[in-house]
């Protein structure tokens, strides 16, 4: 298991504690000193009167965590286990289920299941709450404890009990742990269309995306009609890799900017000359699980009119977290900036709106299952500039293109309607024969 890193993360290699502490103390006024006195009073009361003995380390760690969680949902204290999870996120493999999870009001919540893992095959969905693991109630346990229970030796059995918003009864699922290998990029050829599935932004995602473009050319013996870039349920990762993936499809212009507290605190990142995809058409697939680094890519390609964004509105995670080391295996994950697309849009709260909205009508409960985004999280950052076009865009008419039922689609061999629709859109450039070739098989076959 791994905690979500739904961030474009910049890692600070080193920092000096003494100058920071000195600067911070210089800014402390008398009222703040009185607050510190109150904090120490509470600390001493707990030490002397709490029903069980509590060590200083536990209390101080809890105070730090409480201070950070009062800021926003993504600032946190990173301990040794968190460091291990971050390494897994960007480098390693582990024995587990393939779930990204978070903690919400004492309950473990599924952010997204990784594609082609035990959790995904068992039907676990984003937004589910895990209440029991192997029959044991985990409500009230820490996220680390829940993660520890779900990880384990590959080949061992595990049972989860889920509560799914919109349903009346708990859902029991059983599965076998597997070695979960980080494969950030997978690709395949559908007719004359190149399909690139990017599921995370780890340290090799940019290079793997470029390799996928080259591999598609080689497999076809020529360039494709265009590409479908799938960013659905991609919770993000490294900022550097979001920039690298965007750069693979752009040959000039700004990719993203990040802006801190001060107006002058702006960093801009630009594309280098040369478009690996040779200017060919691109469709970018998004959904509510498309977050942070994924939104940087979708926003950059949309703003430069380089790609057509299709699917559903993205998560709306528009802040940047920086890791500030505190010790050998501890750090502060602190929100230090907001990021903006090339046109100056902040996706915080609102997310990336698709150019063409395509619902996932192959999902039987797509209408009834609640959707969770950044704006639903407690203490989320507020978007400083909001534009509400819903009244202008509202259309109550049923779109005949999306009238089919999941059962009807399944009979046609369509298990993933959004991907089917995206492939069909690109394949139309080659005529009816290419549309048939790109959409002939069920679109859930494993990618390379």
């Amino acid at each position: 298991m791994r905690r979500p890193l739904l961030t474009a993360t910049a890692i600070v290699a080193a920092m000096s504690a003494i100058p920071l502490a000195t600067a911070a103390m210089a800014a402390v006024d008398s009222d703040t000193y009185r607050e510190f006195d109150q904090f120490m009073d509470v600390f001493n009361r707990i030490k002397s009167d709490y029903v069980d003995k509590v060590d200083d380390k536990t209390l101080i760690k809890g105070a730090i965590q409480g201070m950070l969680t009062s800021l926003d949902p993504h600032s946190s204290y990173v301990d040794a286990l968190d460091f291990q999870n971050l390494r897994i996120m960007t480098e390693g493999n582990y024995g587990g289920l393939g779930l990204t999870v978070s903690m919400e009001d004492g309950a473990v919540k599924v952010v997204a299941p990784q594609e082609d893992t035990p959790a995904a095959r068992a039907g676990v969905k984003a937004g589910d709450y895990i209440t029991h693991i192997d029959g044991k109630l985990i409500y009230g346990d820490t996220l680390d404890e829940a993660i520890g229970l779900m990880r384990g030796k590959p080949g061992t059995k595990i049972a989860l009990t889920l509560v799914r918003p919109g349903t009346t009864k708990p859902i029991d699922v059983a599965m076998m742990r597997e070695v979960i290998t980080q494969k950030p990029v997978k690709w395949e050829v559908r007719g004359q269309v190149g399909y690139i599935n990017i599921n995370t932004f780890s340290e090799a995602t940019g290079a793997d995306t470029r390799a996928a473009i080259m591999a598609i050319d080689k497999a076809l013996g020529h360039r494709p009609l265009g590409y479908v870039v799938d960013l659905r349920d991609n919770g993000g990762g490294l900022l550097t890799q979001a920039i690298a993936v965007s750069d693979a499809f752009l040959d000039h212009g700004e990719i993203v900017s990040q802006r801190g507290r001060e107006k002058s605190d702006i960093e801009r990142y630009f594309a280098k000359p040369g478009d690996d995809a040779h200017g060919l058409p691109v469709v970018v697939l998004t959904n509510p699980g498309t977050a942070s680094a994924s939104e940087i890519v979708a926003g950059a390609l949309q703003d430069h009119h380089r790609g057509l964004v299709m699917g559903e509105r993205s998560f709306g995670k528009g802040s940047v977290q920086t890791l500030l080391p505190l010790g050998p295996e501890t750090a502060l994950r602190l929100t230090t900036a907001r990021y903006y697309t090339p046109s100056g849009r902040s996706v915080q709260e609102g997310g990336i709106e698709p150019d063409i909205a395509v619902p996932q009508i192959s999902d039987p409960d797509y209408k009834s299952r609640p959707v969770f985004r950044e704006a639903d999280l407690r203490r989320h950052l507020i978007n400083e500039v909001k534009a509400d076009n819903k009244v202008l865009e509202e259309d109550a008419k049923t779109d005949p293109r999306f009238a089919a039922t999941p059962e009807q689609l399944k009979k046609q061999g369509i298990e993933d309607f959004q991907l089917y629709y995206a492939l069909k859109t690109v394949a139309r450039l080659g005529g009816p024969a290419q549309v048939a070739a790109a959409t002939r098989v069920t679109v859930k076959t494993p990618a390379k």
Side-chain angles (χ1 to χ4, degrees):
M1 296 302 301
R2 53 190 173 94
R3 285 186 178 175
L5 187 64
L6 307 185
T7 57
T9 307
I11 298 181
V12 177
M15 62 181 292
S16 173
I18 295 177
L20 282 176
T22 304
M25 292 306 294
V28 173
D29 57 25
S30 58
D31 290 337
T32 306
Y33 279 119
R34 281 194 288 272
E35 296 295 333
F36 279 139
D37 288 341
Q38 186 176 26
F39 170 80
M40 288 307 302
D41 287 342
V42 173
F43 181 89
N44 290 325
R45 286 291 181 92
I46 294 172
K47 289 281 291 181
S48 62
D49 298 335
Y50 186 65
V51 63
D52 294 320
K53 287 185 177 180
V54 187
D55 61 83
D56 293 352
K57 185 177 180 180
T58 299
L59 289 177
I60 292 172
K61 181 179 178 181
I64 294 172
Q65 290 172 331
M67 190 181 345
L68 291 166
T69 55
S70 71
L71 300 176
D72 66 79
H74 308 294
S75 294
S76 63
Y77 176 72
V78 180
D79 58 16
L81 180 58
D82 290 310
F83 261 108
Q84 179 185 354
N85 290 330
L86 287 173
R87 282 194 295 269
I88 287 172
M89 182 70 183
T90 58
E91 302 172 0
N93 307 323
Y94 63 97
L97 309 179
L99 280 175
T100 299
V101 295
S102 64
M103 181 66 77
E104 184 178 287
D105 297 331
V108 176
K109 181 179 178 180
V110 176
V111 174
Q114 186 177 328
E115 184 182 359
D116 195 27
T117 60
R121 291 192 293 270
V124 181
K125 296 184 178 182
D128 287 349
Y129 291 89
I130 302 172
T131 60
H132 295 74
I133 300 176
D134 289 329
K136 176 183 178 293
L137 178 67
I138 61 168
Y139 182 81
D141 290 355
T142 67
L143 188 58
D144 290 343
E145 290 169 335
I147 289 173
L149 289 172
M150 285 184 274
R151 281 185 183 163
K153 186 178 179 181
T156 56
K157 294 180 179 179
I158 184 172
L160 304 181
T161 301
L162 311 172
V163 171
R164 181 168 297 164
T167 62
T168 56
K169 294 182 179 180
I171 300 170
D172 294 314
V173 293
M175 63 199 86
M176 202 84 73
R177 294 180 179 91
E178 295 179 4
V179 174
I180 308 300
T181 304
Q182 299 296 321
K183 294 179 180 178
V185 180
K186 295 182 284 186
W187 67 272
E188 61 182 292
V189 172
R190 296 291 179 83
Q192 298 291 315
V193 180
Y195 172 55
I196 302 174
N197 182 2
I198 304 174
N199 57 71
T200 190
F201 286 87
S202 55
E203 58 186 8
T205 301
D208 287 354
T209 300
R210 286 189 162 90
I213 294 172
M214 293 175 62
I216 289 168
D217 288 353
K218 185 176 180 180
L220 286 170
H222 54 79
R223 291 171 186 168
L225 291 171
Y227 302 91
V228 173
V229 178
D230 195 342
L231 297 177
R232 293 173 301 170
D233 293 322
N234 183 331
L238 300 175
L239 170 64
T240 55
Q241 299 306 303
I243 294 168
V245 170
S246 302
D247 197 9
F249 297 95
L250 297 170
D251 64 1
H252 69 278
E254 183 176 303
I255 293 173
V256 66
S257 64
Q258 62 180 47
R259 309 178 191 184
R261 181 189 299 178
E262 304 299 331
K263 290 183 178 180
S264 59
D265 185 11
I266 301 177
E267 290 187 64
R268 301 182 185 277
Y269 303 89
F270 296 88
K272 299 173 184 176
D275 175 355
D276 292 65
H278 309 289
L280 293 171
V282 178
V283 169
V284 181
L285 277 175
T286 63
N287 71 359
T290 302
S292 193
S294 300
E295 293 172 293
I296 288 175
V297 176
L301 269 58
Q302 187 180 58
D303 280 4
H304 284 288
H305 305 288
R306 181 64 186 87
L308 187 71
V309 178
M310 185 178 291
E312 300 163 274
R313 180 165 62 89
S314 64
F315 185 78
K317 170 69 177 61
S319 60
V320 179
Q321 280 65 48
T322 302
L323 281 182
L324 305 172
L326 300 175
E329 289 190 318
T330 58
L332 199 62
R333 185 195 285 117
L334 193 65
T335 299
T336 55
R338 290 177 171 88
Y339 74 75
Y340 293 79
T341 69
S343 65
R345 290 183 296 161
S346 169
V347 303
Q348 180 64 22
E349 292 189 278
I352 299 292
E353 289 282 358
D355 299 301
I356 300 178
V358 179
Q360 185 64 312
I361 60 175
S362 53
D363 188 344
D365 61 356
Y366 88 96
K367 287 185 177 180
S368 59
R369 183 160 50 93
V371 173
F372 297 93
R373 293 185 171 90
E374 173 80 4
D376 299 309
L377 301 179
R378 290 187 177 183
R379 292 180 293 275
H380 64 269
L381 295 181
I382 303 301
N383 191 339
E384 295 173 327
V385 180
K386 284 189 175 181
D388 189 356
N389 297 321
K390 289 182 179 179
V391 175
L392 295 175
E393 298 171 353
E394 187 174 357
D395 187 352
K397 295 180 181 179
T398 302
D399 192 327
R401 297 173 299 175
F402 311 135
T405 66
E407 293 76 19
Q408 291 170 334
L409 293 172
K410 193 170 185 179
K411 288 179 180 178
Q412 299 175 48
I414 302 170
E415 296 182 7
D416 185 341
F417 180 77
Q418 289 174 329
L419 181 52
Y420 166 85
Y421 197 90
L423 291 167
K424 190 175 180 179
T425 300
V426 178
R428 281 196 183 103
L429 297 171
Q434 287 306 318
V435 171
T439 59
R440 183 177 297 127
V441 295
T442 302
V443 295
K444 274 292 189 180
T445 53
K448 295 176 178 65

